[in-house]
Each structure stands twice: as structure tokens, then as C-alpha cells.
Amino acid sequence: GGEALVSIAGNVTSPNCGVEMSVNTTAMKFDVYYGKAMHYTLMVTAASFVQVLLLVRQIEYTNAGSSANKVSLLTIGQQAIMDSYLCLVHLTTGMVVEALFNAFATAAFFEFMIFSIFEMRYLLIIWKARRPLGFQEGWDTMRRELSMLYSRFYGCLLGGIVVIYQMQKYPSILLIVSYGYWVPQIYHSARYDHRKPLLKRYIFGMSITRLLIPLYALACPKNFFHSEPANRLAITLSSWVLLQVVVLLLQHYRGPRFFIPSRLLPAKYDYYRRIPEAPAEQDCAICMMPVGGAADDGEGGGGG
């Protein structure tokens, strides 16, 4: 019923000719196959739409320069690169399978919109917050800053393709590394003692929606890719993302440096320390009169 591939096996025997053949063939139910593909693209499109809403809320939350500086540039950049790869994969799949072009082109369009409009804009906001002078010294300086940002992003994009090609025999390692996108934010918050850089709904929403595609491919036994289930890798990947989310939440509630021993932390100025009592003979820095004694003498003189 729900299987897209049907295997047929048989034997052909001719006693008169002394011929015996075994036949194994596989047929595809295109209606079931296209149905699974449509369900997959609907899932990707819905997840992309949710990611757009989460990004808009997060950008509004850190729209001010000081707040944007709390967000890790590497975290947003790594997510943008992942979305660009998904856009290329979905668009290529739609071009290969013409009957599914519209569905996969829609999914690719949403992925393209996420990384090219929202995530690139967010990268620009963070970059501007860290280098404000570069955007205040004229058009030439601002153009140089934009060129530096875009060249680094697309350089990492092309470098990632080379790394994927060289490590295509180790897909599990690539998957685990690529889904460590919260690690730079954890490090950034701990290093600079930034509190609450990300919305909790953004953390939860992005973690869940980005896990949908790999879990569909690894844990669904009748998936669109016809890949064998890899439940151990699916559990490892989910646990890895969950661990990062837990650390982010603990940083949110207990402080960004909660996991660092206090003896290793630098000393911080205490703005609420008690002011030591002044000695009786101390002079006033304004009138150069003794503090305490002058006031008592004045009051006594006035009464007399």
C-alpha cells in the first residue's frame, strides 16, 4: 500500500531446452512516490515559514546596537550557510524530477528567502553593531565593510562545499558538526558575559524545525529518500542539539558563565559595596574643614 518500491522475483525454467533463469526486478509506484515527495515539501515549506516568523521576532528583539552585539556572528552565519545548501539541494531535485519541480521550487524559494533576506540582514545588523565606525565614515568605508562581510560569507559557503566533497565518506561527522550551530553562541556569551542574547522561542523553534529534515531521513522507515533508518544517529543528533539548548537555557537563567569555576573568573567591580567610614580627622575635599567636628562646633555656636 504505502511502499513506493515493489520488488518482483521469479524463475523461468525450460526443461526441453535445459534453461533456467532467475529474475529480480524492482518497480516504482509513482503515485505513492509523488505523494511522499509532496508531503516532504509541505513539511519543509511549513518549517521554513515558522523560521521566518522566529527570525523576525529575534531581529526585533535585538534591533538595538548593544543587543545585536550579544549575538554570535558565527551562529547566524552557520545557519545561513545550512539554509543556502538546502536551497541548492531542493532546487536541483526539482530540476531533475520535472513532475515535482513546483513543489521543490517552492521549498527552495522559502530557503532562499530565509538566508538571502532575513539571515543576511541579521548578519549585517550584528556586523554593524560590532564595527559602528565603519558605517559612519562615508560611503567608501561602508562599501568596504559590506564587501568584507559578503566575501567572508560566500568564502565560507564555497569552502563548505569543498569540505563536504572531501568528507562525503563521513556523513555522520558532517551532520554532527553542522548541527553544532549553538556552540559559537554559548562561547560568545560566556566570553563576553552577555546575558539573554536570544529569545527562548527562537532557541526552541529553530532547534525543532532544523531537526525535521535529518530526523525524517534518519528515523522515518518509509521516507521519500528511500534511505535505511539510522536510529542511533538520529538519537545522537537529537541529544547533541538538546544538550546545546539546555546550556543556552542555563545561561539564560543562571548566567552565561555558570559552568566556569568562580576562581577562574576575572574579578568584577562591585557597584554595591559598602562605603568605609571616614576617620574623625578627615578634611572635607570642598571646604577643607574637618568633617564632623566643624558641623558640631557650628551648631553649638549658633545655639549660644
Side-chain angles (χ1 to χ4, degrees):
E3 294 289 344
L5 296 177
V6 178
S7 299
I8 302 174
N11 295 318
V12 178
T13 305
S14 175
N16 297 330
C17 300
V19 176
E20 183 176 356
M21 293 187 301
S22 298
V23 179
N24 292 311
T25 184
T26 302
M28 176 179 290
K29 294 182 179 179
F30 284 97
D31 54 342
V32 177
Y33 180 76
Y34 291 151
K36 290 184 177 182
M38 291 298 296
H39 293 160
Y40 168 79
T41 54
L42 286 175
M43 178 191 70
V44 174
T45 303
S48 301
F49 182 74
V50 173
Q51 290 177 10
V52 170
L53 297 179
L54 293 171
L55 274 168
V56 171
R57 292 295 182 88
Q58 177 63 28
I59 292 174
E60 292 176 353
Y61 175 69
T62 57
N63 200 19
S66 58
S67 299
N69 195 28
K70 298 179 181 179
V71 182
S72 171
L73 199 69
L74 292 177
T75 290
I76 305 301
Q78 186 171 344
Q79 295 184 29
I81 290 176
M82 290 172 60
D83 290 329
S84 63
Y85 290 157
L86 289 175
C87 175
L88 291 174
V89 170
H90 290 141
L91 185 61
T92 304
T93 305
M95 295 175 65
V96 172
V97 186
E98 294 184 4
L100 300 174
F101 177 77
N102 292 334
F104 276 87
T106 303
F109 171 75
F110 272 93
E111 297 288 350
F112 176 78
M113 184 173 61
I114 290 174
F115 92 85
S116 66
I117 298 178
F118 294 98
E119 287 174 332
M120 289 303 300
R121 177 190 173 190
Y122 203 15
L123 287 174
L124 182 59
I125 292 174
I126 300 172
W127 186 270
K128 184 178 179 181
R130 296 187 181 184
R131 305 167 66 94
L133 295 179
F135 293 84
Q136 300 174 1
E137 298 179 354
W139 172 249
D140 292 336
T141 306
M142 184 172 64
R143 185 171 57 184
R144 191 181 308 115
E145 293 289 335
L146 292 175
S147 300
M148 189 182 304
L149 173 63
Y150 283 101
S151 62
R152 291 185 180 183
F153 174 78
Y154 288 106
C156 293
L157 184 67
L158 296 176
I161 295 176
V162 176
V163 172
I164 292 174
Y165 177 78
Q166 294 293 332
M167 297 190 64
Q168 56 184 330
K169 295 182 180 180
Y170 309 97
S172 301
I173 298 178
L174 283 174
L175 191 63
I176 296 297
V177 172
S178 62
Y179 272 78
Y181 46 81
W182 294 128
V183 174
Q185 181 62 58
I186 295 172
Y187 172 77
H188 183 75
S189 298
R191 179 180 180 182
Y192 297 102
D193 198 18
H194 291 322
R195 295 178 176 271
K196 301 180 180 180
L198 303 174
L199 288 170
K200 288 184 292 183
R201 70 181 71 177
Y202 177 78
I203 298 173
F204 283 115
M206 281 295 178
S207 300
I208 294 173
T209 53
R210 292 192 181 280
L211 276 174
L212 289 177
I213 294 178
L215 291 185
Y216 174 81
L218 296 174
C220 182
K222 299 179 181 179
N223 57 69
F224 160 71
F225 307 106
H226 302 300
S227 59
E228 292 295 329
N231 295 325
R232 181 176 299 179
L233 180 57
I235 294 174
T236 303
L237 182 63
S238 302
S239 302
W240 170 230
V241 175
L242 178 61
L243 175 63
Q244 298 174 68
V245 172
V246 169
V247 175
L248 285 174
L249 292 178
L250 289 175
Q251 286 184 318
H252 184 89
Y253 289 108
R254 300 183 57 184
R257 296 176 175 176
F258 76 95
F259 53 88
I260 303 177
S262 57
R263 64 178 181 274
L264 300 179
L265 294 175
K268 300 177 75 173
Y269 185 81
D270 186 7
Y271 291 92
Y272 300 97
R273 63 177 182 174
R274 297 184 62 183
I275 300 176
E277 296 181 0
E281 295 79 9
Q282 185 174 4
D283 295 336
C284 176
I286 299 176
C287 63
M288 303 303 295
M289 295 293 292
V291 177
D296 296 339
D297 295 342
E299 290 179 0

